[in-house]
Amino acid sequence: MSNYFDHKVVWVTGASSGIGEALVKELAVKSSAKIILSSRNKDQLNAVAQKAGLEANRFFVLPLDLEDYKKMPDVVEEAVEKFGKIDILINNAGLSQRSLAMETDIEVDKRLMDIDFIGTVALTKSVLPYMIRDGGGHIAVVSSLMGVFGAPMRSSYAAAKHALHGFFDSLRAELYTKKITVTIICPGFVQTNISINALTGNGSLQGTMDDATSKGMPADVFAGKMLAAIEKKKNQASIGGQEVMGTYLKRFFPSLLAKIVRKAKVV
Ligand SMILES: NC(=O)c1ccc[n+]([C@@H]2O[C@H](COP(=O)([O-])OP(=O)(O)OC[C@H]3O[C@@H](n4cnc5c(N)ncnc54)[C@H](O)[C@@H]3O)[C@@H](O)[C@H]2O)c1
């Protein structure tokens, strides 16, 4: 990591575990950024800040629930009051799903859309006026390979992640002249609790670790590569193991990908 993040205010959502926690640790050790940590659980966020070795003047714990999208303007105001500005927003928080589309309650589809898409959009829209006031900024959003193509057992999740691409690609084009950079990150399998926290068709937690996730990229390695992609101001970056090939197949050989995906062992 060079000095892109130094002296900046970086806001990481989903900072209480997994990729978000790894991002906070990497930023804490390798930059002088001030970090705002958000997710729903204040105690977990404080524990992450402590483990990352952040001094009190370098971090701010700001709990938020993405489902509570109407509160985002107030949450953002609190963040700006604390450090005066937001240079980089990393929209990382998210929730996955494991169920066949026909066995998935419509409330689960809606919840995934509310958390992964609407909440993320609401937070971003509340942050943007401050970035524009300050002459620019950088919005990163963690999508998924499922934001690029769909797969069995992921219909609600893939839909919400695809929606992010439509929104953030449009936003990038609209705000280019305002010096707002938009980076979409598409992780492959990363070793986190994402599958344990995933919703099943009736809205309950899956509660188990997927085999593919357990063999995925370690979260700290992923976080280093993700921050490098942000630093390079990439429009979009897919990061993971051989599963990342799916993004190229989708682009150049979509029929082949469709055949592979329908046979995929996905959990
Ligand atoms: N781990 C993977 O294999 C993988 C693959 C593709 C994409 N992703 C994406 O990476 C991101 C981070 O996930 P992770 O793998 O670290 O899993 P994780 O379950 O460990 O972390 C998810 C984070 O999001 C937060 N969160 C969930 N619902 C929230 C809500 N309503 N309001 C606020 N915060 C909420 C959680 O508290 C947690 O901090 C997610 O957007 C996920 O979709 C992960």
Side-chain angles (χ1 to χ4, degrees):
M1 199 188 290
S2 71
N3 55 4
Y4 182 64
F5 298 94
D6 286 345
H7 313 299
K8 292 206 165 95
V9 176
V10 183
W11 190 348
V12 180
T13 70
S16 60
S17 63
I19 292 171
E21 177 173 2
L23 289 169
V24 170
K25 284 187 184 157
E26 187 82 2
L27 285 165
V29 174
K30 298 198 179 149
S31 81
S32 63
K34 291 195 164 106
I35 306 170
I36 301 172
L37 296 85
S38 289
S39 75
R40 287 156 303 176
N41 190 310
K42 195 174 183 174
D43 292 345
Q44 283 176 8
L45 292 169
N46 274 312
V48 168
Q50 277 218 322
K51 271 195 269 173
L54 282 165
E55 284 167 24
N57 63 352
R58 268 193 71 193
F59 78 93
F60 181 46
V61 161
L62 183 53
L64 63 82
D65 186 341
L66 287 175
E67 266 186 300
D68 236 343
Y69 71 95
K70 287 190 177 156
K71 286 204 181 134
M72 293 311 159
D74 293 342
V75 175
V76 170
E77 209 174 297
E78 228 183 299
V80 174
E81 258 170 37
K82 176 68 185 177
F83 289 132
K85 60 173 185 170
I86 297 150
D87 296 298
I88 303 175
L89 169 64
I90 303 183
N91 285 303
N92 163 71
L95 181 70
S96 195
Q97 160 256 348
R98 299 288 185 273
S99 50
L100 296 171
M102 287 185 66
E103 294 171 2
T104 302
D105 196 298
I106 195 71
E107 290 305 321
V108 172
D109 293 298
K110 187 175 175 307
R111 187 129 190 259
L112 266 287
M113 203 52 98
D114 283 347
I115 293 172
D116 289 348
F117 180 65
I118 296 291
T120 300
V121 167
L123 178 60
T124 301
K125 284 190 179 194
S126 300
V127 165
L128 281 169
Y130 293 101
M131 287 186 170
I132 291 169
R133 175 198 74 181
D134 296 337
H138 197 150
I139 307 274
V141 59
V142 179
S143 171
S144 166
L145 294 185
M146 293 297 100
V148 181
F149 58 93
M153 308 288 280
R154 302 286 194 282
S155 54
S156 325
Y157 181 62
K161 293 294 192 183
H162 270 68
L164 289 174
H165 288 248
F167 179 85
F168 282 97
D169 281 343
S170 302
L171 194 73
R172 183 189 300 112
E174 285 181 11
L175 296 180
Y176 174 75
T177 55
K178 300 283 185 197
K179 297 193 165 37
I180 302 292
T181 304
V182 175
T183 299
I184 303 176
I185 303 289
C186 304
F189 296 115
V190 185
Q191 287 170 26
T192 70
N193 286 343
I194 186 85
S195 68
I196 293 172
N197 297 329
L199 299 187
T200 64
N202 64 14
S204 62
L205 294 189
Q206 171 168 262
T208 55
M209 175 65 85
D210 291 350
D211 193 40
T213 303
S214 72
K215 293 175 182 148
M217 185 177 277
D220 56 342
V221 176
F222 179 86
K225 289 178 187 286
M226 175 170 156
L227 292 173
I230 292 173
E231 189 173 340
K232 285 182 192 147
K233 298 192 168 185
K234 291 206 169 185
N235 287 341
Q236 187 168 316
S238 299
I239 303 169
Q242 62 177 10
E243 68 278 8
V244 162
M245 281 302 293
T247 57
Y248 301 101
L249 293 179
K250 174 72 180 178
R251 195 152 158 204
F252 299 112
F253 304 101
S255 303
L256 174 61
L257 179 68
K259 280 184 191 151
I260 294 170
V261 155
R262 69 184 178 224
K263 289 183 196 149
K265 186 182 179 310
V266 284
V267 289

